[in-house]
Amino acid sequence: MSFSSEFISLLFLAIALSMDAFSVSLGMGMQRIRLKRIAVIGLVIGIFHIIMPFLGILLGKAISNQIGELTTLAGGVLLFVIGAQMFFSAFNHEVKSRVLPVGAGLILIAFSVSIDSFTVGLGLGISGVKIFLTLFLFGAASCALTWLGMLLGRKVHGYLGTYSELLGGSILCGFGLYILFG
């Protein structure tokens, strides 16, 4: 395969893998998050989209497909739980105990949206793909799409007001269910 065709294939794969980060960030962007925090969130998610497939590539020959399916299941469950917590916290105005995109909450979110990159890395590790190019494209695409999703979610929040948390939580739950059953 020539470099240009491999580049285009990897670019499309990177964009496809980053669509879950886009969906999740669209829901998160509906919360009132500052631009500096949006930048940090995008970078952390981008880094996780580099680390997870790298681990998958390294362990590609050692791990079976059954373990790969378990990681996808865990990612779907995590997204659903985060979305449900966000959805139901919209009804309780006194207690705001949702997973926030800071600290451990940010790590949990970044892990849940990048878990599918690990399973893709398993397959790529066997195929002998260009590792640096692959990881760069995965990280850059997920970072850019996270920023885009959060900025779009921020704009939508102004139009939806208090219903934005319900919509954001529904998006996360829906995507979690799509990963589990889709």
Side-chain angles (χ1 to χ4, degrees):
M1 182 183 299
S2 70
F3 178 77
S4 61
S5 62
E6 183 176 9
F7 178 81
I8 291 170
S9 299
L10 288 173
L11 180 63
F12 281 123
L13 180 59
I15 291 170
L17 285 173
S18 301
M19 290 310 291
D20 58 346
F22 174 78
S23 299
V24 169
S25 64
L26 189 64
M28 283 191 308
M30 291 183 196
Q31 303 172 22
R32 293 186 179 135
I33 299 176
R34 298 177 59 191
L35 290 176
K36 185 176 181 181
R37 172 63 38 196
I38 288 173
V40 170
I41 292 168
L43 290 174
V44 170
I45 289 176
I47 290 169
F48 266 80
H49 270 84
I50 292 172
I51 293 171
M52 296 302 286
F54 181 67
L55 293 174
I57 288 170
L58 291 178
L59 300 173
K61 293 183 180 179
I63 295 179
S64 70
N65 290 334
Q66 292 176 348
I67 293 175
E69 290 179 17
L70 289 176
T71 58
T72 303
L73 177 69
V77 168
L78 284 173
L79 285 177
F80 182 80
V81 168
I82 292 168
Q85 184 179 18
M86 185 176 172
F87 182 86
F88 290 116
S89 72
F91 294 110
N92 189 357
H93 298 291
E94 295 173 11
V95 179
K96 292 289 183 181
S97 63
R98 69 185 113 146
V99 177
L100 296 174
V102 293
L106 177 56
I107 299 299
L108 180 66
I109 291 167
F111 178 77
S112 67
V113 298
S114 64
I115 195 82
D116 57 342
S117 297
F118 177 79
T119 58
V120 170
L122 291 173
L124 292 176
I126 296 170
S127 69
V129 73
K130 291 179 176 55
I131 295 174
F132 180 76
L133 177 65
T134 301
L135 298 178
F136 174 77
L137 289 174
F138 284 13
S142 64
C143 184
L145 286 175
T146 298
W147 287 336
L148 178 65
M150 293 195 82
L151 293 174
L152 286 173
R154 198 170 181 211
K155 293 290 183 192
V156 171
H157 174 75
Y159 297 117
L160 295 177
T162 58
Y163 297 107
S164 63
E165 285 187 57
L166 294 172
L167 180 61
S170 298
I171 290 171
L172 294 177
C173 284
F175 197 74
L177 290 172
Y178 175 75
I179 288 174
L180 290 172
F181 302 110

